[in-house]
Amino acid sequence: MNQAKILNLVAKLKHTNNIKPRKLKNYRGPEGRIAMLQKSLTALLKYERIELNFNRADETRAYAEIFMSQIAKQGSQNQKSIDMANFWILENQIIYKLFNVLVPRFSNDVSYTNLYHHPNVYPGILRPKAILELKNNSFPKVSSSIKNQSSVENILLKESHKRHFIDVITQ
Amino acid sequence: MESTVCPVRHVPPSSYGRFRNACCATLRFQCRFSSTDSQKAAAQTAAIKSEWRRRRNVIFDNEKQRQQSEIGRIEKVAVKYLPWDKDEAPIEMRMNKHLSTPYDCTKHLTEDYTKTVCLALVDRRPWDLQKPFEQDCELELITMAHSNKSPVVNTAFWRSCSLLMGCMVEASFKDEIQVYLHSFPKPDLKSGSFTYDAVIDLPDWKPTQAELRAMSAAFVKLSNQESFMERLEVSEELALDMFQDNPFKNKQIPNIAQNHNGKIVLYRIGDFIDISQGPMVGSTGIIGKATIASVHKVESNETDRLYRFQGVALPKGTRLNHFAWSVLEKDARKFNDLASVTPVRESVTSAPTEVVSDEEKERSSAAN
C-alpha cells in the first residue's frame, strides 16, 4: 500500500467535531438544513456571539471551524475559498469582513470558536441552549474563572506543600 | 476492661472492645433492673453540667436584655453600603443606633447576602455581623470568596471553627467524664489546623479512629444547625460569675479584662457560650467539610491532663479533590505547635493501620 494516508492530506482541526451529522429537522429536508447553517454561520461572523439551541450551535461550530481553517490556509486570493465564502455567507459585507478582518485576526490561532452551555429560563421551552462565539471578540467574557490564591483551601495546600519540601530536604 | 470503655458518645460499639457483646448485655440488664452507683454519679454530674449551662444562658439573656433596655430613645445612623463591584452604586441605609447590625443590612439586600456574608468591614475595620452600629459609617460585606481582598475573613473562619470545636468537645464526652474547656490559641491558617485545648479527666487518653470519626460527625452536625454567633460584651464580674464552674477560664478572665479595658467579649452558639475577642463569621452554616484530625496531650503548669484537639475545615461550597483533602487531613494530624507548648509524646494519633504496622514491625524485629 503505497497510498498516502488521507488524514495527512486534510487540515487537522484542534476542535473535535461530531462524526455523525445532526439532524436539524426541517420541512425542506437537506436543503433546509444547509439554509439553516448558512444563516447561523453568517450570524456568527456578523455578531461574533450568538445564542442558539445546543444542537444547532454545535453543528454550526463544526462548519465554522472547517470553513475558517480552510480559508485561513488557502488565503483570500484563492478562487476556491471565494466560492466557498460566496456559498456559505449570505451577506456581501460579511464576506468583506471575513477576508479583511477575521482571517488576519485568526492567522495564528488553533481553533476559532468557543461554545458554552447556557441555562434555560424557567418557565419557557426547556431545550438545551448554547452560546457560540468567535474567539478574541470585544464582548465581556462569558465565564469568569476566578482564581483566588488566598482562599482557605489554597493557603492550606500551599503551606502543606512547603512543609512537605522542608521534610524532604531535612531527610 | 478499662481500655474497652469509650469516653466519647455515639461511637459505634463494633469498633472497640473484644467483650462488647458481654458488656452490652450487662449494661442493658443494669439499665432495666437496677442502677449502679457509678451510673447514679454520672447522672448527677450530667445534671450539674446542664444546670451550669442553663445558668450561663440565663445570665447571657438577662444581660442582653438589660443592655438593650439601657439604650432608651432610639436614634438613627446613616450606613453607606459600598458594593465590591465598582459599577454598582453605593446604597444608603437608615439603621438604628446600638440596635441594628450588619446582618440587618444584608436583609435589605438579597437573600444571598444573608446566607453567604461572613464578616463586615465598618469603616475598613473588621466587624462582627451581630455587632450593632455605633455611628454613621461605611459598610462593606465580605464572603469567603473575597478572601483575596481582605484576608481577615480567613482568620475569622478559623477562629469560628475553633469555637465550634469547643462546643463539640463539651458536648461529646460521656457524663461520667469531667471536661473543662481551657482556651484556644490565636488562629493561624498556615499551621494547617485549628485547635482547642481542653482538660479532660482521663490520665492517658489516645482516641481511636472511631472516636475521632464520631467527634467529626458531631462537629458537622453542629455546623449544619446553622446557628448564629451571638456576640455580647460584658463586664469582668459578670464573666467570672458565668464561668464559676470552670477553674481555668476563671483564671484567664482577669488577664483578658486587663488587656481590653475591663470588657470580656462572649460568643454564643446555640446554648454554648465561650470567651473570645473575635471577630467570628456570621453563622456556623459557613463551615462545610470538616474533620477532627487528632488529639494530642500537651504539657502545662496548671494540669497534667490538658489535651489539644486539632481539626481542619473548609467553607461550604468549596470543591476539593478527595486526595487533596486527605493531604490536608494528614497535615492536621501532626502536632500543631501554636503558643509554643510541647507535646507530651510525638504523634499520639494516626490511622489504625499504621499502628498495626508499627506493632508488626516491633514483633518482627523482636523475632529477628
Side-chain angles (χ1 to χ4, degrees):
Chain A
M1 291 281 273
N2 284 333
Q3 218 170 354
K5 271 190 179 175
I6 293 172
L7 273 179
N8 292 343
L9 299 176
V10 180
K12 217 174 195 178
L13 295 177
K14 286 282 173 180
H15 155 257
T16 51
N17 291 335
N18 264 2
I19 298 166
K20 257 187 183 176
R22 284 167 195 275
K23 282 181 188 169
L24 301 176
K25 268 191 187 174
N26 204 292
Y27 70 97
R28 283 193 286 165
E31 190 191 330
R33 175 193 151 86
I34 289 170
M36 274 168 92
L37 287 168
Q38 281 171 338
K39 213 175 156 187
S40 31
L41 205 61
T42 309
L44 176 67
L45 298 185
K46 187 175 181 183
Y47 300 111
E48 305 200 10
R49 178 182 288 174
I50 51 173
E51 198 185 310
L52 296 165
N53 286 341
F54 185 82
N55 261 2
R56 190 167 171 177
D58 198 29
E59 200 65 17
T60 311
R61 182 188 195 187
Y63 275 79
E65 287 288 339
I66 298 171
F67 175 67
M68 296 281 288
S69 68
Q70 291 200 1
I71 283 185
K73 212 172 190 185
Q74 290 160 0
S76 53
Q77 302 301 320
N78 193 311
Q79 189 53 44
K80 204 178 166 189
S81 61
I82 292 168
D83 286 350
M84 201 155 63
N86 278 330
F87 177 75
W88 284 108
I89 299 170
L90 302 175
E91 294 175 36
N92 278 334
Q93 70 268 32
I94 306 299
I95 298 174
Y96 182 82
K97 183 189 176 186
L98 172 71
F99 287 127
N100 291 301
V101 181
L102 296 180
V103 170
R105 194 205 285 176
F106 291 119
S107 57
N108 297 325
D109 269 23
V110 282
S111 80
Y112 306 96
T113 53
N114 283 331
L115 186 69
Y116 299 98
H117 284 275
H118 185 267
N120 288 113
V121 179
Y122 184 85
I125 302 163
L126 300 178
R127 262 186 214 145
K129 290 255 179 190
I131 292 173
L132 182 63
E133 67 167 12
L134 285 183
K135 280 185 178 176
N136 300 342
N137 57 27
S138 55
F139 299 114
K141 279 183 181 176
V142 173
S143 70
S144 61
S145 60
I146 302 163
K147 284 175 187 166
N148 186 355
Q149 285 301 320
S150 48
S151 65
V152 173
E153 68 274 20
N154 280 342
I155 291 178
L156 288 174
L157 286 171
K158 213 187 286 168
E159 291 303 316
S160 164
H161 187 244
K162 266 186 209 166
R163 247 173 270 141
H164 174 73
F165 269 89
I166 289 167
D167 287 352
V168 168
I169 289 161
T170 47
Q171 275 172 15
Chain B
M1 275 301 281
E2 207 172 276
S3 63
T4 61
V5 175
C6 169
V8 179
R9 288 176 207 269
H10 309 305
V11 177
S14 59
S15 50
Y16 61 92
R18 208 177 305 164
F19 309 109
R20 66 185 169 89
N21 289 335
C23 290
C24 287
T26 50
L27 268 177
R28 240 177 272 137
F29 181 79
Q30 281 165 358
C31 290
R32 210 175 285 168
F33 297 106
S34 66
S35 59
T36 57
D37 289 347
S38 66
Q39 275 176 327
K40 268 182 191 171
Q44 214 170 3
T45 49
I48 293 168
K49 263 188 201 174
S50 66
E51 183 57 31
W52 275 114
R53 194 175 257 232
R54 201 184 62 79
R55 183 175 179 276
R56 232 173 279 152
N57 275 287
V58 168
I59 297 175
F60 190 97
D61 284 332
N62 287 347
E63 176 66 12
K64 200 170 187 183
Q65 224 166 27
R66 191 192 64 78
Q67 287 186 8
Q68 284 190 354
S69 64
E70 247 180 24
I71 296 165
R73 192 193 166 98
I74 294 169
E75 290 171 46
K76 293 283 178 188
V77 285
V79 177
K80 193 179 180 188
Y81 165 61
L82 308 170
W84 283 107
D85 192 355
K86 290 282 180 286
D87 299 337
E88 286 180 45
I91 300 168
E92 283 262 5
M93 298 183 198
R94 304 283 291 169
M95 306 304 283
N96 296 331
K97 198 175 184 178
H98 299 305
L99 272 181
S100 306
T101 60
Y103 183 72
D104 295 324
C105 289
T106 62
K107 286 188 201 162
H108 289 292
L109 302 166
T110 62
E111 197 185 347
D112 280 1
Y113 279 88
T114 54
K115 283 180 184 164
T116 56
V117 168
C118 305
L119 199 67
L121 288 182
V122 169
D123 290 334
R124 298 257 157 207
R125 272 179 300 139
W127 199 272
D128 277 279
L129 278 190
Q130 304 288 338
K131 189 178 175 186
F133 295 114
E134 285 162 3
Q135 60 196 31
D136 295 358
C137 56
E138 286 181 343
L139 175 72
E140 280 156 289
L141 299 171
I142 319 172
T143 65
M144 291 308 295
H146 292 130
S147 50
N148 51 351
K149 282 160 190 161
S150 65
V152 68
V153 70
N154 282 343
T155 327
F157 174 74
W158 221 230
R159 192 182 287 116
S160 313
C161 288
S162 281
L163 191 78
L164 196 68
M165 185 146 76
C167 181
M168 182 276 296
V169 169
E170 203 182 61
S172 60
F173 280 89
K174 283 180 180 168
D175 295 334
E176 59 264 29
I177 288 151
Q178 197 70 45
V179 178
Y180 293 117
L181 295 183
H182 189 276
S183 62
F184 56 93
K186 213 176 177 188
D188 183 12
L189 209 63
K190 290 184 176 176
S191 65
S193 57
F194 56 86
T195 57
Y196 205 111
D197 293 352
V199 180
I200 293 156
D201 196 13
L202 292 166
D204 206 19
W205 180 50
K206 291 178 192 177
T208 61
Q209 205 62 21
E211 283 166 348
L212 288 172
R213 217 172 289 134
M215 286 196 283
S216 303
F219 186 88
V220 172
K221 234 179 205 176
L222 282 172
S223 72
N224 282 349
Q225 285 173 1
E226 302 192 357
S227 37
F228 293 122
M229 304 248 185
E230 285 176 75
R231 183 185 188 279
L232 193 71
E233 273 183 34
V234 297
S235 63
E236 188 188 340
E237 296 82 51
L238 202 80
L240 281 171
D241 187 27
M242 278 171 112
F243 290 96
Q244 269 180 41
D245 61 323
N246 190 329
F248 305 100
K249 295 253 181 216
N250 240 335
K251 265 186 217 167
Q252 295 156 14
I253 286 168
N255 288 335
I256 299 168
Q258 218 172 23
N259 296 334
H260 298 94
N261 307 327
K263 286 281 174 196
I264 301 283
V265 182
L266 299 178
Y267 280 92
R268 177 158 79 169
I269 308 171
D271 62 346
F272 168 78
I273 299 172
D274 202 358
I275 308 164
S276 171
Q277 274 308 309
M280 300 277 175
V281 295
S283 91
T284 56
I286 302 291
I287 301 165
K289 213 172 192 178
T291 301
I292 307 302
S294 62
V295 182
H296 296 271
K297 199 171 183 185
V298 290
E299 274 178 1
S300 157
N301 302 330
E302 292 172 277
T303 171
D304 60 338
R305 290 176 182 191
L306 188 64
Y307 291 88
R308 172 161 289 181
F309 291 73
Q310 289 177 200
V312 63
L314 292 178
K316 199 169 254 178
T318 313
R319 286 173 140 206
L320 193 66
N321 176 300
H322 72 95
F323 175 76
W325 177 246
S326 75
V327 168
L328 296 185
E329 280 182 321
K330 207 173 159 190
D331 258 38
R333 276 191 213 122
K334 287 177 196 159
F335 179 68
N336 189 345
D337 187 20
L338 284 167
S340 63
V341 284
T342 49
V344 171
R345 54 185 180 278
E346 289 290 316
S347 62
V348 176
T349 54
S350 49
T353 48
E354 286 172 29
V355 174
V356 170
S357 67
D358 283 350
E359 282 173 9
E360 279 175 359
K361 268 181 209 165
E362 280 169 21
R363 265 183 229 145
S364 61
S365 62
N368 289 336

